[in-house]
Amino acid sequence: MKNELLKYLRTDILPTEFCSGCGCGTVLNIFCHVVDELKINPDDIIMVTGIGCSSWIPSPYFSADTLHTTHGRAIAFATGVKVMKPDKHVIVIAGDGDLAGIGGNHLIHAARRNIGLTVFLVNNYIYGMTGGQVSPTTPSNVPTTTTPYGNTEPAFKIAELVSAAGASYVARWTTYQVFHLKKAMKDAILNKGFSFIEICSQCPTSYGKRVGMREGIDQLKDFRDNSIDLKKTAGMKDEELENKFIVGKFAERNRTEFTENLRNINRKFDEVPV
Amino acid sequence: MTRENYLSKLKNRTLFIQGDEAAAYGALYAGCNFFAGYPITPASEVAELMAKELPKVDGYYIQMEDEIASIGAMIGAAWSGGKSMTATSGPGFSLMQENIGYACMTETPCVIVNVQRSGPSTGQATLAAQGDMLQARWGTHGDHEMIALSPSSVQESFDLMLEAFNLSEKYRNPVIFLLDGEVGHIREKVVFPDINEVNIHPRNISKEKVDVFGGMRIPPMIEFGQGHRIHVTGSTHKSNGMRDVVSQEAHDKLIRRLNDKIESNRDEISKYELHFTDDMEYLVVSYGASARPSMGAVLKLREKGYKVGFLRLITIWPFSSTIVKELGKKVKNIFVPEMNLGQISREIERFVSCAVHPVSKIGGVAHTINEIVYEIESEVKKY
Amino acid sequence: MIREKDKIEIYIDEGLCKGCDICIELCRPGVFVKSEKLNSRGYYVPVPASMNKCTGCMICELICPELAVIIKKNELVKEVV
């Protein structure tokens, strides 16, 4: 028997090229469930993506109009798409290296602008496709191929960053909390402004094995055992939150959407002479 | 307001404006409805005029966070039905190079204005140069062809912008509009045409699901949001757009086609202007701002009795090799005044066997007529 | 006691499965066991051996990175406990 959700995928290239146990496939799976449950016609979705493993979720697998851009620039390209196609769901799925590293500037500015994009940042804590180099979200002290003596930098807290930049909707979940993640994806897609979910995801091949978790399931158990609800973190010290995954909804605000503001300006000229 | 209403009000009007502004008006005539940019001297006037006028034609101006974002947004808009443009100068143009290659690879019609200033690096931010002629051709990595145009006057900045959009649509390739700080900032008279008399090349959009990246030399485009579920990628791809990054044949076929569609139309794309070439013994070749004192120098030299001809390049890339080759056979020397250290001069050398002399001037100040006359005269007197 | 319960069926798309064991390990009631034979691509696929334990929570279907676990919830059946 075949999964009915395969109708949302470019099935001639399945199975995916993701490693066994990779979280990217779980994100793809839940995204298909969300599109199905929201009854969104894929013809009304435009996927925009960058470079890296998680960029492969839409390109090539999810079957919709797909713009597979240069490294880090997905949100910039998506901005042009959304301005010209404000009625479509313009959805960006890419990784931590892509959206928070090389493309970090576009991420915070899109949040500030509150352009009606939906962004799913799949955070696997590493540059996976290039073989396991340190990323802006790699925790301190973790050894990677480019931090052989341990990562000397602190990691970005991306959900907190995007929330501070002004996004309409911000959440963080892991690939273990599939039901919360599914609900959050729906909320994000239905939110009219800039909506963002940081999805903490496992990468057994390039990250897990460096922190003693060789299989995808090992990292999922880590997510299960070490996630903590954002609401319960009030008053907790930084040391208590070390190595914890703070999950939950970080922001939900009502702000006017950027392309709507642009269109309002144009309407002023509908009847006015030059 | 509709674009037609807006343009009907400009019909036959005469304005005294800068080259930057004329380029922006040219874009509006061409149907440009999306501009993403980032401020930079001496190109900001293009953005400022687009910010003011685009909403009047129901178009969109966005100021992005940098030039990389600007060209990205512009390419995204082009695939979503927009006629897109951005404008920048050297430092921003350098930042755009990666995505200029993306536009070549994905065959995205769009126009990139580079109002050239002195470089490298920050250089002389407020002063003119023609130092990015080869960067426009070879700036992005990998084998690719490029279309680049360079106007010499404010009126031509307007007229040629229409051509820039038309070429980008016809060949599905980015077009680089090589202004310089001189022509960009100078103020001259521009007469606006009747939009009904302007030739606009429409985008070749297929309503049916077709191969957008092959099957013919210049395949039609598909617009996002029409249900075709098209896959657009900067990776090597098959004619249906799906990645194929390991096959030698796939890459060879794609890249040769992308080069061929420009190369095989070289003579059709190539535009230039000839003066006094019938009886000439010497040839001056120039373009953009430096073509203006060059023409003056040619006239002065002819008054002095030197048989000098003049070739003004309007299309820079693909290079007008056919005419250069032909004229090169008729003369003993070719002189190339340009505001760089000999970039186009070097390109000319590839096609002629006579001596080619760069008449270079850098530092942000255009050549004077006398400087060019002096250089040519002192060289010619040697013979 | 009689209670109403979904009639649940679990299918594994063996062609897609990469044998990551996530469904086996995360199923709390322990419905799955590992197959003894390899699939065509060389992975040991899961087998829903203890269907009577399945609560229909759906985590296996949602978390499967390959969309290879399919849960069918059919008509309600009455079950004698």
Side-chain angles (χ1 to χ4, degrees):
Chain A
M1 167 171 269
K2 291 283 170 198
N3 195 328
E4 283 172 23
L5 297 175
L6 294 182
K7 69 182 176 193
Y8 294 110
L9 305 184
R10 296 183 172 109
T11 44
D12 51 325
I13 40 179
L14 293 181
T16 68
E17 291 194 35
F18 300 130
C19 307
S20 171
C22 169
C24 290
T26 301
V27 176
L28 176 65
N29 184 351
I30 297 173
F31 182 62
C32 290
H33 275 87
V34 165
V35 170
D36 197 61
E37 288 173 26
L38 290 177
K39 296 187 167 57
I40 298 174
N41 181 346
D43 291 348
D44 294 327
I45 297 175
I46 300 168
M47 305 292 307
V48 187
T49 178
I51 300 292
C53 293
S54 41
S55 293
W56 281 52
I57 293 169
S59 167
Y61 301 116
F62 192 82
S63 179
D65 283 332
T66 309
L67 187 61
H68 178 228
T69 74
T70 46
H71 192 25
R73 314 304 166 199
I75 288 177
F77 281 67
T79 297
V81 174
K82 185 67 183 179
V83 168
M84 298 311 289
K85 296 281 180 201
D87 301 330
K88 300 289 178 188
H89 298 283
V90 183
I91 301 173
V92 174
I93 305 183
D96 48 312
D98 195 271
L99 292 174
I102 186 169
N105 200 25
H106 310 309
L107 176 64
I108 54 174
H109 282 278
R112 174 182 63 81
R113 246 174 231 131
N114 198 37
I115 183 163
L117 305 175
T118 305
V119 178
F120 300 139
L121 184 152
V122 182
N123 180 4
N124 64 0
Y125 302 94
I126 201 86
Y127 283 88
M129 189 169 266
T130 44
Q133 297 80 16
V134 68
S135 98
T137 55
T138 307
S140 299
N141 304 319
V142 169
T144 71
T145 60
T146 48
T147 54
Y149 314 111
N151 181 14
T152 49
E153 301 175 19
F156 249 146
K157 296 174 180 173
I158 314 176
E160 287 87 339
L161 172 74
V162 176
S163 175
S168 275
Y169 179 93
V170 181
R172 180 191 289 124
W173 295 103
T174 76
T175 44
Y176 175 74
Q177 290 106 10
V178 286
F179 302 107
H180 287 103
L181 178 55
K182 191 172 80 169
K183 169 75 169 61
M185 276 190 179
K186 286 183 184 173
D187 291 346
I189 288 173
L190 295 176
N191 187 295
K192 287 203 183 318
F194 186 81
S195 46
F196 177 86
I197 305 176
E198 178 187 345
I199 304 168
C200 306
S201 175
Q202 70 274 23
C203 172
T205 305
S206 289
Y207 180 76
K209 70 178 178 192
R210 294 202 169 81
V211 289
M213 295 183 260
R214 298 199 70 86
E215 305 292 335
I217 181 65
D218 300 333
Q219 269 188 279
L220 281 167
K221 285 176 179 169
D222 186 36
F223 293 152
R224 179 188 67 193
D225 301 337
N226 289 304
S227 288
I228 180 161
D229 188 337
L230 174 66
K231 289 180 215 133
K232 293 183 184 154
T233 58
M236 286 178 77
K237 296 195 187 81
D238 282 355
E239 304 85 79
E240 293 175 85
L241 293 170
E242 212 173 307
N243 299 323
K244 297 285 182 198
F245 304 95
I246 304 171
V247 295
K249 184 160 70 186
F250 285 72
E252 194 162 24
R253 314 181 172 103
N254 226 339
R255 294 177 57 205
T256 45
E257 195 268 328
F258 172 69
T259 63
E260 207 174 300
N261 288 338
L262 286 181
R263 289 198 299 284
N264 285 340
I265 293 176
N266 288 13
R267 291 295 75 78
K268 287 180 191 163
F269 291 101
D270 278 349
E271 305 300 332
V272 184
V274 180
Chain B
M1 186 187 319
T2 62
R3 175 170 161 266
E4 286 68 28
N5 283 344
Y6 172 83
L7 293 176
S8 68
K9 287 178 180 147
L10 282 176
K11 179 179 161 183
N12 298 334
R13 271 179 70 180
T14 303
L15 292 185
F16 188 63
I17 53 174
Q18 294 182 309
D20 279 0
E21 295 169 310
Y25 277 117
L28 292 167
Y29 263 76
C32 173
N33 60 357
F34 185 91
F35 185 103
Y38 186 85
I40 188 166
T41 303
S44 298
E45 289 84 356
V46 185
E48 285 168 349
L49 197 123
M50 292 307 257
K52 187 163 162 256
E53 301 301 305
L54 268 174
K56 298 179 186 173
V57 297
D58 207 13
Y60 300 97
Y61 167 87
I62 318 180
Q63 186 162 313
M64 297 299 287
E65 49 275 12
D66 57 32
E67 288 88 348
I68 303 175
S70 301
I71 186 166
M74 180 184 81
I75 295 169
W79 277 96
S80 309
K83 271 195 149 181
S84 306
M85 179 167 105
T86 185
T88 187
S89 186
F93 193 57
S94 293
L95 285 177
M96 289 182 182
Q97 290 304 328
E98 182 191 13
N99 285 319
I100 289 175
Y102 183 91
C104 290
M105 193 66 153
T106 55
E107 301 175 72
T108 306
C110 56
V111 175
I112 299 128
V113 180
N114 176 4
V115 190
Q116 298 168 89
R117 68 192 224 187
S118 297
S121 189
T122 312
Q124 295 172 295
T126 60
L127 298 179
Q130 294 174 320
D132 309 343
M133 307 309 289
L134 290 179
Q135 189 192 19
R137 175 66 186 84
W138 296 111
T140 196
H141 60 281
D143 288 308
H144 61 280
E145 282 287 335
M146 191 52 74
I147 301 177
L149 311 174
S150 185
S152 285
S153 70
V154 176
Q155 180 73 53
E156 194 176 39
S157 184
F158 176 91
D159 297 336
L160 209 53
M161 183 54 82
L162 291 161
E163 181 75 8
F165 271 94
N166 284 349
L167 289 170
S168 82
E169 296 294 343
K170 187 169 180 188
Y171 295 105
R172 269 187 69 185
N173 209 74
V175 171
I176 314 287
F177 198 75
L178 284 169
L179 271 165
D180 47 67
E182 204 72 45
V183 178
H185 273 173
I186 203 169
R187 274 180 198 280
E188 287 178 333
K189 185 176 87 168
V190 174
V191 183
F192 291 99
D194 179 350
I195 185 64
N196 298 314
E197 287 162 19
V198 168
N199 167 39
I200 308 270
H201 195 282
R203 182 163 299 175
N204 184 6
I205 288 277
S206 172
K207 299 272 176 221
E208 306 298 318
K209 191 173 171 74
V210 290
D211 278 359
V212 183
F213 301 100
M216 57 184 87
R217 193 178 268 161
I218 307 166
M221 267 183 97
I222 273 177
E223 187 180 320
F224 281 164
Q226 309 293 318
H228 296 296
R229 306 194 189 175
I230 182 74
H231 188 266
V232 181
T233 177
S235 296
T236 296
H237 44 273
K238 295 180 278 199
S239 56
N240 64 0
M242 299 309 291
R243 264 196 299 274
D244 183 352
V245 294
V246 287
S247 147
Q248 186 266 329
E249 291 80 13
H251 188 79
D252 185 274
K253 191 175 162 193
L254 173 67
I255 302 304
R256 283 188 194 277
R257 179 176 65 77
L258 296 186
N259 282 265
D260 198 38
K261 72 178 178 181
I262 307 295
E263 176 56 35
S264 65
N265 289 298
R266 179 185 285 260
D267 290 339
E268 196 187 319
I269 299 168
S270 159
K271 276 183 80 168
Y272 51 83
E273 207 175 81
L274 292 175
H275 300 278
F276 317 117
T277 51
D278 291 342
D279 65 343
M280 66 177 180
E281 290 170 10
Y282 312 99
L283 174 66
V284 173
V285 183
S286 194
Y287 52 87
S290 47
R292 298 164 70 113
S294 296
M295 184 62 185
V298 168
L299 292 172
K300 203 159 183 176
L301 285 163
R302 289 191 78 86
E303 274 172 26
K304 288 183 169 197
Y306 298 102
K307 289 186 173 171
V308 185
F310 183 44
L311 165 65
R312 181 169 75 87
L313 301 171
I314 298 169
T315 306
I316 306 298
W317 308 112
F319 192 67
S320 302
S321 52
T322 311
I323 186 73
V324 167
K325 230 183 250 176
E326 190 188 315
L327 297 178
K329 286 178 194 150
K330 297 187 190 168
V331 295
K332 296 179 227 162
N333 304 70
I334 295 178
F335 298 91
V336 191
E338 48 185 339
M339 293 166 75
N340 58 48
L341 294 181
Q343 298 192 5
I344 293 299
S345 159
R346 192 178 309 173
E347 184 70 13
I348 292 170
E349 281 178 9
R350 296 175 60 217
F351 299 101
V352 298
S353 47
C354 65
V356 180
H357 309 274
V359 184
S360 293
K361 185 167 183 188
I362 56 172
V365 183
H367 302 77
T368 64
I369 290 175
N370 285 340
E371 280 167 355
I372 299 172
V373 168
Y374 176 79
E375 289 231 15
I376 294 176
E377 210 171 13
S378 42
E379 185 63 37
V380 167
K381 275 181 181 165
K382 288 182 191 165
Y383 300 98
Chain C
M1 192 178 83
I2 295 172
R3 72 175 182 197
E4 290 194 333
K5 196 181 170 189
D6 288 341
K7 184 173 172 246
I8 302 165
E9 292 165 45
I10 299 181
Y11 300 91
I12 305 293
D13 187 337
E14 292 195 12
L16 293 180
C17 178
K18 290 185 193 145
C20 69
D21 294 355
I22 288 174
C23 54
I24 300 175
E25 296 260 355
L26 288 185
C27 177
R28 284 182 191 170
V31 170
F32 297 96
V33 294
K34 217 176 171 75
S35 160
E36 308 239 308
K37 51 177 213 277
L38 297 166
N39 72 357
S40 58
R41 297 169 58 239
Y43 294 111
Y44 293 102
V45 301
V47 178
S50 313
M51 278 307 298
N52 58 328
K53 294 183 190 167
C54 179
T55 62
C57 80
M58 302 285 288
I59 191 169
C60 56
E61 182 183 300
L62 269 175
I63 209 163
C64 173
E66 307 301 331
L67 289 92
V69 182
I70 306 137
I71 297 193
K72 285 275 166 208
K73 287 186 184 178
N74 297 323
E75 75 277 17
L76 291 169
V77 292
K78 288 197 170 121
E79 187 184 25
V80 183
V81 180

